[in-house]
Amino acid sequence: MSGRGPILVVEDDATNMKLTRIVLEAAGYAIIGAENAGQALACLEATRPALVLMDLQLPGMDGLTLTRHLKAEPATRDIPVVALTANAMVGDEAKALEAGCDGYITKPIDTRRLPAIVSSYMPRAGAPLP
Ligand code: MN
C-alpha cells in the first residue's frame, strides 16, 4: 500500500496512462495523471505524491528536464522519481539516473511486475517525512 500519498504518473500516451492507472489502482494505489510537465508542476503545487512515474518522452518539456527541475527544488527533491523509458537504448538508463531519477522501468510496461517494482521505490512506511 502507498500509505502516504498518491503516485503522480506523468505520461502523454493515453493508452499507457490508462494501463498504468488500472494496474496500480488495482494494487491499492491512488493515481494522479499528468499529460505533460505543466500539468505535473500544477499537481505538485497542490499535492505531494509519494512517488513520480515519469515518462521521459513528453511534448514540450521532456521528462529528464522535468526531473532535473524537481530534484533542484527543495520542496520536491525528496520525492522518488522512477523513469519510464520507451526505448531501452544503451545510455538512456544512465541519462535517467544522471538527471536525478531514482530508478527506471522499461516500456512496454510489464503489468504483472509493475506493482512490485513501484512498491520497491516507495518511501518506507516507517521512515520520517522529509
Ligand atoms: Mn511519451
Side-chain angles (χ1 to χ4, degrees):
M1 288 299 296
S2 61
R4 62 174 62 193
I7 295 174
L8 172 58
V9 181
V10 188
E11 169 65 83
D12 63 306
D13 182 275
T15 304
N16 278 333
M17 175 68 86
K18 190 175 176 184
L19 183 65
T20 304
R21 181 185 286 277
I22 288 170
V23 169
L24 292 179
E25 284 182 347
Y29 294 105
I31 303 300
I32 299 174
E35 294 176 14
N36 54 50
Q39 281 186 18
L41 290 168
C43 286
L44 288 160
E45 292 284 324
T47 310
R48 183 185 172 87
L51 182 89
V52 178
L53 279 185
M54 180 77 75
D55 180 23
L56 294 186
Q57 295 179 312
L58 298 169
M61 184 191 292
D62 67 34
L64 289 177
T65 305
L66 178 55
T67 299
R68 284 192 200 98
H69 178 78
L70 298 183
K71 292 299 182 179
E73 289 291 325
T76 50
R77 66 164 51 124
D78 295 320
I79 302 171
V81 176
V82 178
L84 296 169
T85 64
N87 38 358
M89 300 283 288
V90 175
D92 271 13
E93 299 158 358
K95 271 190 243 170
L97 299 179
E98 192 182 359
C101 292
D102 299 274
Y104 56 84
I105 296 170
T106 304
K107 292 199 271 189
I109 291 164
D110 182 338
T111 55
R112 290 189 181 183
R113 293 188 58 227
L114 183 63
I117 295 169
V118 164
S119 173
S120 74
Y121 288 110
M122 293 292 279
R124 292 282 162 264
L129 287 168

